[in-house]
């Protein structure tokens, strides 16, 4: 199995190289060169498979450099939490992807990628050092995802005083193989320092550095698992429509990948906040990346979605083809608050703001364009719930006028003692620290 770059100017590579490099040398993103197929018997019996079992069957299609035993162990260990499908009426189901350690779907990618990296490293004799700059959420998923994974050290740079209290607690209390460097500067400073480290040959001669970047193909593969697991729980003959709250479009791209390997799906809804370059492209045909605008669904505040190139590539740069599979809609903060409240009051289900955008998009689809994606009466809609509402209590509480209960594992990290290493915003200091500690 080979992986190719969306820019088409880099040589094809095996999975391990695509995963450890992240970005292709020509600046493109990696995708499989061809699409292996799930067997018909697997699809027929899908409802009998657990999430780790689905993960195993899918990952062996994409990864041919790890043994079956190794992939079984990785998927079992990474997917140690559930992703239940909750019906809320009108053929609408919520696929809850927030039962992992950081209460967001990014746990799937981080936990799987960390274990895959660890297994790939076993053939080398050096520890792998994951170096990442974070402005909050990605960092906590990486910290928790790589926590305690053998042969891997994690070093996270975050801007002092510029991440939320919950995020800082999640970043700085992990311990073990995870170190948080608290940089006296901005997120851009952190990112610049990390970039300098990756391009410094004298450092890379001594240490084996890798990134945990969100564009990594090793993060998309595990995100295909839960689409199939959602389908398994639906247990219907009608192909569903998946509504995906989107920012960088990694999540939606994973759905397209699942479809390519044989998962039945009528189509996908690209649900965004006012950062709507993709819905706009679908409607007008012009793609105009721009600076992002802050919203209450801030994990989707992306003005230039990195996975858009993958989507274009999957459909041969043909908008007509894309439109047969994806319908887009975008919503303001006011509309998001409104639907969050409506669902809570009428269906007794509390959504976080990102998921609420996925819900609104389904309602809009059902009332305005029913049938557009080839759906039939009774076609089920599956909304991907990307985060637990407790992570966004400050947005939700004023809207519903009630406190949002905090799950135990979030509370636990709030009580731990912060451990970080202060650092000036200069690359030299980072380099010295890395060489001294690893
Ligand atoms: C990252 C994130 C998203 C956006 O996912 P993409 O794969 O970037 O489209 C949506 N919701 C939440 C809660 C997230 O953390």
């Amino acid at each position: 199995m080979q992986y190719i770059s969306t820019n088409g100017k880099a040589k094809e590579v095996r999975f391990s190289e695509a995963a450890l490099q992240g970005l292709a040398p020509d600046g493109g993103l990696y995708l499989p060169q061809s699409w292996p197929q799930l067997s018909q018997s697997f699809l027929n019996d899908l409802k009998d498979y657990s999430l780790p079992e689905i993960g195993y069957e899918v990952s062996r299609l994409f990864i041919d450099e790890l043994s079956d035993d190794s992939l079984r162990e990785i998927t079992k260990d990474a997917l140690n939490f559930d992703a239940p499908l909750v019906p809320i009426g009108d053929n609408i189901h919520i696929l809850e992807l927030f039962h992992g350690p950081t209460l967001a779907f990014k746990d799937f990618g981080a936990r799987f990628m960390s274990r895959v990296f660890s297994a790939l490293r076993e053939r080398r004799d050096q520890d792998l050092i994951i170096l990442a700059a974070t402005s909050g959420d990605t960092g906590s998923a990486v910290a928790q995802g790589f926590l305690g994974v053998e042969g891997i050290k994690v070093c996270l740079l975050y801007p002092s005083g510029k991440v939320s209290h919950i995020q800082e607690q999640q970043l700085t209390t992990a311990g073990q193989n995870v170190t948080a460097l608290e940089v006296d500067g901005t997120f851009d400073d952190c990112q610049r320092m990390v970039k300098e480290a990756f391009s410094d040959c004298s450092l890379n001669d001594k240490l084996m550095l890798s990134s945990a970047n969100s564009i990594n193909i090793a993060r998309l593969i595990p995100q295909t698992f839960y689409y199939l697991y959602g389908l398994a729980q639906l247990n219907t003959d009608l192909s569903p429509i998946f509504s995906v709250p989107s920012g960088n479009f990694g999540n939606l791209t994973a759905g397209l990948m699942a479809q390519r390997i044989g998962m039945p799906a009528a189509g996908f809804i690209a649900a965004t906040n006012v950062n709507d370059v993709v819905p706009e492209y679908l409607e007008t045909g012009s793609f105009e990346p721009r600076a992002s605008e802050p919203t209450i669904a801030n994990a989707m505040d992306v003005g230039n979605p990195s996975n858009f190139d993958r989507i274009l590539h999957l459909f041969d740069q043909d908008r007509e083809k894309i439109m047969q599979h994806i319908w887009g809609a975008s919503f303001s903060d006011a509309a998001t608050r409104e639907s969050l409240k409506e669902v809570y009051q009428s269906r007794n289900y509390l959504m976080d703001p990102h998921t609420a955008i996925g819900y609104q998009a389904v309602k809009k689809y059902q009332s305005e364009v029913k049938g557009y994606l080839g759906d039939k009466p009774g076609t089920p809609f599956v909304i991907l719930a990307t985060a637990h509402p407790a992570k966004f209590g400050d947005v939700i509480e004023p809207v519903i006028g009630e406190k949002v209960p905090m799950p135990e594992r979030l509370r636990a990290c709030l009580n731990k003692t912060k451990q970080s290493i202060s650092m000036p915003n200069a690359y030299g200091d980072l380099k010295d620290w890395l060489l001294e500690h690893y």
Side-chain angles (χ1 to χ4, degrees), residues 103-106 137-138 214 219-220 223 226 244-253 297-300 302 306-307 352 354-355 384-388 391-392:
L103 309 178
F105 81 96
K106 293 199 172 65
D137 253 13
T138 309
S214 63
R219 277 174 66 148
L220 294 192
Q223 291 181 216
Y226 50 68
V244 191
S246 294
N248 259 322
F249 282 79
N251 210 358
L252 200 147
T253 302
N298 59 7
M300 301 178 357
V302 179
S306 46
N307 281 290
D352 94 286
H354 303 80
T355 307
L384 272 52
T386 51
H388 192 290
K391 291 190 87 168
F392 298 91

Side-chain angles (χ1 to χ4, degrees), residues 294-310:
T295 74
I296 56 169
N298 59 7
M300 301 178 357
D301 294 348
V302 179
N304 187 7
S306 46
N307 281 290
F308 186 64
D309 279 346
R310 281 195 170 112

Side-chain angles (χ1 to χ4, degrees), residues 350-365:
L350 187 59
M351 295 174 168
D352 94 286
H354 303 80
T355 307
I357 289 176
Y359 172 81
Q360 286 175 95
V362 167
K363 295 310 283 181
K364 186 169 178 189
Y365 182 93

